[in-house]
Amino acid sequence: MTKVTMDKIVNLCKTRGLIYPGSEIYGGFANTWDFGPVGVELKNNVKRAWWKRFVQEDPNTYGVDASILMNPKTWEASGHVASFGDPKMDCKKCKQRFRADTLIENHSKGKVSAEAMTNEELTAYINENHISCPHCGGFDWTPIRKFNPMFTTSRGTLEEGADVVYLRPETCQGEYVNFLNVQRTARAKVPFAIAQIGKSFRNEITPGNFLFRTIEFEQMELQMFCKADSSMNIYDDYKSRALQFVKDVGLQADHLRFHDHDKLAHYAKAACDIQYLFPIGWQELNGIHHRGDWDLSRHGEFSGKSMLYLDPYTNEKYIPNVIEYSIGADRLTLALLCEAYDEETLENGETRVVMHFNPAIAPYKVAILPLQKNLSDKAKEVFALLSKEFMCDYDEAGSIGKRYRRQDEIGTPFCVTIDFDTLEDDTVTIRDRDSMKQERIKIANLVSYVEKKVKFN
Ligand code: GAP
């Protein structure tokens, strides 16, 4: 089996137009990435699949697209202003900042879980085990402090007196603040969910590993509002649905596992991650959180608006519990890139790099390749036909073998070749990316042939 490394993925993404380093002509901007023509299709397909599964196909889920900039009180209510933060410490020698829990987990090679430790326990462990600075080797730490990862900006034309506003560090607050709006306008009955996909920003202390942890990323989040007595069942249900979804988009079952949290926020009833076996080891892919009635209660308190729900069947009034399901679109895209990557040795001894994406997620569905340039008029007709239905690529440059390789490297499931017989009988050769088998079919049957194979179910 091919050994996938992050370097191989980064390199392929850059050279094949999937993902480039951000602001590259200026020397880059650390931990930002720009999706290129192929990558943007891949990520859009990931987001579409999620939306289809969790919003379109679920009559009890309603989509929103809330503002990134929110009333700053939102972040007081959510607790981000006061206490959101990881335990950070600086090396006094080289001035680098680190997460204390990550230092311990790395030092113990993952054997010690520092997730549940208090600051005193973290400090004691670091001192007893003499954990030195990974950057300069020094052992001279500042006390552990919380560090607020929210980016701030200001609103107002004059700098003095301008109000501080925050770039949202998670999208879910846009769902909580619209609970009353959606419930009333959609005439929604509990249990119902609000979902959205959007950008979030975090001034992460330890960003890195390509798309894994960046400072700007997209989240696909869903908040299910429910009654306390059914909340645990709904939590379990979202655990299974979340797992099924990542399998269906293309992640292998034995590269996935649940990880229950040891340390819960004081209001939370349960929390777990689905982890994926990235080339850097088992890491969080998404979270499922039982948040009790904390979010709506806090927004009720800070806004002065009652978040009480009147049950139309029982006439009971209560503040709904929230089950949250949250997954990063970029992090899932990275997992799919790692899963799809393969280097195959062919019968002639050559190696081909091929991305075995689920066809529904693949950036382009079909590449149209005229065997020779003087077949381009017919090939463009076929492109016009297919591109009405699917994202297609058109390539007439270079040998047919090289053109197949280029499509394999971006994971295009089908290549359609136009040759001289096409002019005679309106048939084309269609080549399957994975088996490399070719068959001859009528142009009139192409759309239905491809359609069946690229649908996300
Ligand atoms: N509203 C809950 C929430 O934001 P989280 O565990 O902090 O929970 C949810 O984030 C998901 O968002 C993660 O499981 C991951 O997929 C993604 N994510 C979080 N921080 C990220 C970052 N810095 N870069 C890329 N993806 C990130």
Side-chain angles (χ1 to χ4, degrees):
M1 217 185 112
T2 311
K3 173 128 180 57
V4 189
T5 63
M6 209 60 105
D7 283 349
K8 283 183 183 175
I9 300 289
V10 174
N11 189 37
L12 179 98
C13 284
K14 187 171 173 197
T15 54
R16 289 288 168 250
L18 283 118
I19 301 157
Y20 315 117
S23 321
E24 202 180 5
I25 59 165
Y26 290 102
F29 189 57
N31 302 298
T32 64
W33 299 94
D34 294 344
F35 283 75
V38 184
V40 71
E41 298 301 330
L42 178 66
K43 189 157 73 147
N44 280 344
N45 290 340
V46 169
K47 291 188 285 182
R48 269 189 217 115
W50 189 86
W51 195 261
K52 178 171 186 283
R53 176 65 58 86
F54 290 99
V55 183
Q56 184 180 324
E57 292 175 6
D58 191 328
N60 297 320
T61 298
Y62 304 90
V64 294
D65 183 11
S67 300
I68 287 173
L69 301 176
M70 301 180 74
N71 187 312
K73 273 194 178 166
T74 310
W75 307 109
E76 289 173 34
S78 70
H80 285 79
V81 171
S83 68
F84 191 114
D86 303 313
K88 308 282 165 46
M89 56 202 296
D90 294 355
C91 169
K92 287 191 195 155
K93 220 169 131 202
C94 70
K95 313 286 179 228
Q96 293 280 320
R97 185 171 289 165
F98 298 92
R99 279 181 62 150
D101 50 352
T102 308
L103 278 179
I104 294 175
E105 283 169 3
N106 290 347
H107 178 266
S108 69
K109 300 204 167 43
K111 289 196 188 101
V112 174
S113 166
E115 206 179 27
M117 289 187 183
T118 62
N119 283 359
E120 289 70 36
E121 287 165 341
L122 292 166
T123 309
Y125 189 97
I126 287 169
N127 287 338
E128 277 157 26
N129 291 278
H130 203 83
I131 301 180
S132 51
C133 170
H135 186 247
C136 72
F139 184 71
D140 193 4
W141 296 109
T142 62
I144 294 173
R145 285 169 303 192
K146 297 259 182 198
F147 174 82
N148 198 320
M150 278 199 292
F151 281 109
T152 55
T153 184
S154 51
R155 186 180 182 281
T157 42
L158 296 175
E159 206 146 282
E160 59 280 11
D163 293 328
V164 169
V165 289
Y166 301 99
L167 299 191
R168 66 180 178 201
E170 55 180 8
T171 57
C172 60
Q173 301 300 330
E175 295 159 18
Y176 300 138
V177 301
N178 281 298
F179 166 73
L180 294 175
N181 280 336
V182 173
Q183 194 267 316
R184 284 180 195 142
T185 55
R187 291 173 294 121
K189 293 188 183 59
V190 167
F192 74 92
I194 304 182
Q196 76 168 322
I197 299 179
K199 287 258 180 179
S200 293
F201 304 83
R202 290 186 197 175
N203 197 358
E204 294 278 10
I205 199 86
T206 50
N209 286 313
F210 194 29
L211 301 181
F212 182 79
R213 186 168 283 112
T214 51
I215 55 177
E216 174 181 341
F217 53 98
E218 276 183 282
Q219 288 185 306
M220 309 189 283
E221 294 201 295
L222 177 153
Q223 315 299 314
M224 176 56 117
F225 302 98
C226 54
K227 205 173 168 188
D229 57 13
S230 57
S231 58
M232 239 18 234
N233 286 345
I234 291 177
Y235 171 77
D236 289 336
D237 184 43
Y238 271 99
K239 277 177 73 171
S240 341
R241 289 180 68 185
L243 183 65
Q244 192 57 51
F245 173 71
V246 288
K247 284 188 199 162
D248 290 347
V249 284
L251 301 182
Q252 215 175 284
D254 58 358
H255 292 164
L256 293 163
R257 69 181 187 193
F258 285 115
H259 166 75
D260 289 315
H261 288 200
D262 302 331
K263 183 181 167 188
L264 292 179
H266 65 90
Y267 51 80
K269 304 230 170 74
C272 93
D273 302 333
I274 291 176
Q275 295 185 331
Y276 175 70
L277 187 55
F278 286 95
I280 49 169
W282 286 102
Q283 297 288 343
E284 175 184 334
L285 180 62
N286 72 212
I288 300 121
H289 313 124
H290 187 320
R291 301 180 57 87
D293 65 4
W294 199 78
D295 303 285
L296 290 186
S297 301
R298 291 278 291 189
H299 284 300
E301 195 184 312
F302 279 73
S303 68
K305 298 275 182 301
S306 170
M307 295 288 159
L308 281 171
Y309 171 74
L310 172 64
D311 191 309
Y313 304 112
T314 62
N315 276 335
E316 266 178 285
K317 274 190 177 174
Y318 58 88
I319 293 182
N321 276 216
V322 165
I323 305 300
E324 173 181 66
Y325 161 41
S326 172
I327 179 161
D330 309 82
R331 197 173 287 183
L332 177 55
T333 302
L334 176 62
L336 292 165
L337 284 162
C338 298
E339 187 78 49
Y341 186 91
D342 198 9
E343 288 165 14
E344 283 178 9
T345 309
L346 303 175
E347 276 171 13
N348 63 5
E350 282 177 17
T351 304
R352 74 160 182 157
V353 170
V354 52
M355 298 297 279
H356 294 289
F357 292 124
N358 172 343
I361 300 301
Y364 297 120
K365 308 303 181 203
V366 191
I368 291 99
L369 315 173
L371 213 51
Q372 290 184 15
K373 280 203 175 135
N374 53 6
L375 291 163
S376 66
D377 285 350
K378 189 69 185 172
K380 281 178 185 160
E381 264 177 42
V382 176
F383 177 84
L385 173 80
L386 292 178
S387 60
K388 286 208 181 348
E389 309 299 328
F390 319 108
M391 197 69 205
C392 298
D393 197 8
Y394 179 87
D395 186 4
E396 55 181 29
S399 75
I400 191 72
K402 285 209 176 108
R403 281 183 275 164
Y404 281 153
R405 292 289 162 276
R406 276 204 289 270
Q407 296 302 328
D408 290 342
E409 289 180 11
I410 58 172
T412 309
F414 301 106
C415 286
V416 165
T417 318
I418 315 297
D419 55 27
F420 288 101
D421 288 343
T422 312
L423 303 181
E424 304 297 319
D425 61 7
D426 266 341
T427 63
V428 292
T429 301
I430 188 157
R431 170 191 179 266
D432 181 277
R433 174 198 66 199
D434 298 334
S435 66
M436 294 188 282
K437 289 212 173 89
Q438 304 192 2
E439 58 181 299
R440 197 85 198 165
I441 67 169
K442 285 250 172 226
I443 291 176
N445 296 336
L446 266 177
V447 168
S448 61
Y449 179 96
V450 176
E451 205 165 45
K452 278 198 261 315
K453 306 201 177 202
V454 301
K455 197 155 187 260
F456 181 68
N457 286 314

